[in-house]
Structures are given as C-alpha cells and as structure tokens.
Amino acid sequence: MARTKPVGVITRGTTNPNRLRRCDRWLAGPAAGRLRRATGSPPIVVDLGYGASPVTAVELHDRLTRVRSDVEVVGIEIDPARVAAGQLLARPGLSFRRGGFEVPLDGRDATVVRAFNVLRQYAEDEVAGAWESVCGRLTADGLLVDGTCDELGRLATWVAVEPSGPVSLTLSWHLRGLDQPSAIAERLPKALIHRNVPGEAVHDYLTDLDRHWARSASHAAYGVRQRFLATAQAMRDSGWPLLDGPSRWRLGELTVAWDAVAPAGPGSDPVSHQGP
C-alpha cells in the first residue's frame, strides 16, 4: 500500500534546548490528568513538527515519564532528514516518524498532540483546517496544544483544543525583567496574533493585563512574583474567566477560557469587549 503524502509543508525548524519547557510544565501539571486517565494501552503524546533538532521530543519524554512511566512520545516531522536525526535518539517510549497534520500513528489515536511554532508559519485561514485534521486523530479525551514561543522559551502562548473545539488560551512569561504583560502579544498563536487590534477580545484582554499590572506596581516592593499575583487576582475580580489559580500564577502563567478571547467571527462586526 502506498504511503499517504504528509499534510503540511516543511517549516524553518528553529529550536533550542528547553525552549518548550513552559508548555511541558503545563502538560505535566494541569493537563496531566489526561495521561493518568488513559487506559487499555500507554498514552501517546506527539511532538508535531519538532524541527531541525529532536531535542524537544527528548525533553518531552523525560518530563512526561514522571507523570506516566509508560507514556509513548512520538516525534513527527515532514522533513526526512529531521526524522533521520531523531531516530538516532530513539529509545523505549520515544520514536520518530515522517508525517504532518494527518498524524500517522498506525491507526492509533493520540492523547496529546503538541504543535509548537508550526502553525505560526502558516496563513491564519489554514488554522481551522489544521486543528480539524489533528483533532480527528485524538482520543475522545485528547488534546491538541497549538503554541508559539520566543527563541529562548521565556515568552510562550498556547491554545488548548479538544475534539469539540478550543477551550483555553494560556500565556506564560519569564517574570524577571518583565516590563508589561502585553509584550507577549508578538508570540500569540496564529489564530490570535492578527486579532490584537481594537474591537477584538484578545486585545481587550492584553489591555486589561497591562492596566492591572500598572495598578499593581506597589506590590513590586515584595518582588515581581507578588506583583504578578496581584495582577492576576485583579483580572479575575474584574470578571475575566481565569481557569487557574495562584499555584500557576506564581510561575508566570495565566489561563483564560477561550470564549473570552476568541476572534470575532468571519463577516461579523467586532464588538468592544470590556471584560467577559
């Protein structure tokens, strides 16, 4: 039988050690229940489009085996040369194969697919189709994590997408030296990066973050973490539906319900969003 042609295009492939540590920490934390609940066979976690170096897939396996010792991590890349480089580091529970958004797993379904800095290199109108393709390869309790980060992983954002659709947006900052939270705007996922304009919900969200960050300046005397905690609490108090709490905020991480920041629909008139 002929192999199915991989769905997608070869991306730039830039990566660095620990670049995706913020998302890995979230997968091993708030999202870890999906791995623990998996029954019948070991859960499969896919590092989709891992890039020129397989280091992120190796790190992902190292971190998730602390949650499930039997987890299987599969690195998937379109570029055959990148797959060959990954196979040199294959080991029990960690493998590499060629593919794209069709997520080839020999008929199995993935519990988690992490796709970082992949869709950022596509057009915005291609995002929905990519999400649909990947979600078609998830278990019923599965999750697609579509994210973007800077080169060192100090600023990271990701959308959590279930088979029924997107459920949350997470923003994660390296707090030391943070000037204002909206600096993360240039790292928004493709579904949102062009929506950071007046009249769009994500713009209101970032504007409110900056406003509450400024109002919490007095807390900086106790350290940047305390200032961020005060900012996050003020966001919740003002009505934003944050899905996490202080234990995650201390890490410089904030997760909000997707409906509160979702783009205005095609053809609709964007309405000013003053909180949820």
Side-chain angles (χ1 to χ4, degrees):
M1 181 181 294
R3 287 181 176 271
T4 302
K5 182 179 179 181
V7 178
V9 297
I10 297 174
T11 56
R12 288 189 295 273
T14 305
T15 191
N16 286 301
N18 270 328
R19 190 181 183 190
L20 305 187
R21 64 191 180 279
R22 293 182 175 275
C23 183
D24 289 355
R25 183 176 61 190
W26 183 81
L27 289 172
R34 297 174 193 271
L35 299 179
R36 296 191 180 101
R37 289 193 297 268
T39 60
S41 60
I44 299 175
V45 177
V46 172
D47 189 5
L48 183 60
Y50 56 82
S53 167
V55 63
T56 58
V58 174
E59 291 172 343
L60 182 62
H61 185 246
D62 288 341
R63 289 160 180 158
L64 294 188
T65 52
R66 301 169 192 169
V67 177
R68 280 279 300 252
S69 60
D70 62 344
V71 68
E72 181 180 349
V73 172
V74 181
I76 295 180
E77 252 293 346
I78 289 181
D79 186 348
R82 296 175 183 175
V83 176
Q87 288 171 341
L88 296 175
L89 297 176
R91 64 195 186 198
L94 176 63
S95 61
F96 297 86
R97 61 177 58 195
R98 186 169 183 240
F101 293 123
E102 78 285 4
V103 192
L105 294 172
D106 301 326
R108 299 172 297 169
D109 292 324
T111 300
V112 176
V113 174
R114 184 189 67 182
F116 246 74
N117 303 306
V118 176
L119 282 169
R120 181 176 178 84
Q121 300 178 54
Y122 286 72
E124 183 181 359
D125 60 8
E126 296 178 280
V127 171
W131 282 2
E132 183 178 4
S133 294
V134 174
C135 285
R137 299 311 316 277
L138 295 175
T139 62
D141 190 36
L143 190 70
L144 162 65
V145 181
D146 171 17
T148 303
C149 65
D150 66 1
E151 288 72 14
L152 297 178
R154 294 191 171 196
L155 297 174
T157 72
W158 57 90
V159 181
V161 187
E162 295 180 341
S164 59
V167 294
S168 66
L169 170 71
T170 299
L171 308 181
S172 183
W173 297 260
H174 179 75
L175 294 178
R176 185 177 300 173
L178 179 63
D179 183 27
Q180 57 182 15
S182 64
I184 207 167
E186 65 184 21
R187 300 297 171 178
L188 286 171
K190 194 66 176 191
L192 292 173
I193 193 166
H194 301 302
R195 303 302 184 122
N196 184 30
V197 294
E200 289 278 357
V202 72
H203 181 269
D204 293 332
Y205 184 62
L206 292 174
T207 298
D208 270 6
L209 271 170
D210 280 352
R211 179 165 59 87
H212 289 302
W213 175 257
R215 290 180 175 180
S216 300
S218 61
H219 292 268
Y222 304 101
V224 66
R225 181 175 286 111
Q226 292 303 314
R227 183 178 183 181
F228 190 81
L229 284 165
T231 300
Q233 187 61 57
M235 290 289 286
R236 170 166 285 169
D237 292 344
S238 69
W240 288 99
L242 301 185
L243 303 180
D244 50 11
S247 65
R248 306 306 298 182
W249 300 347
R250 291 179 183 278
L251 302 174
E253 184 179 295
L254 211 57
T255 298
V256 66
W258 175 256
D259 288 348
V261 294
S268 64
D269 294 324
V271 178
S272 179
H273 183 95
Q274 301 298 325

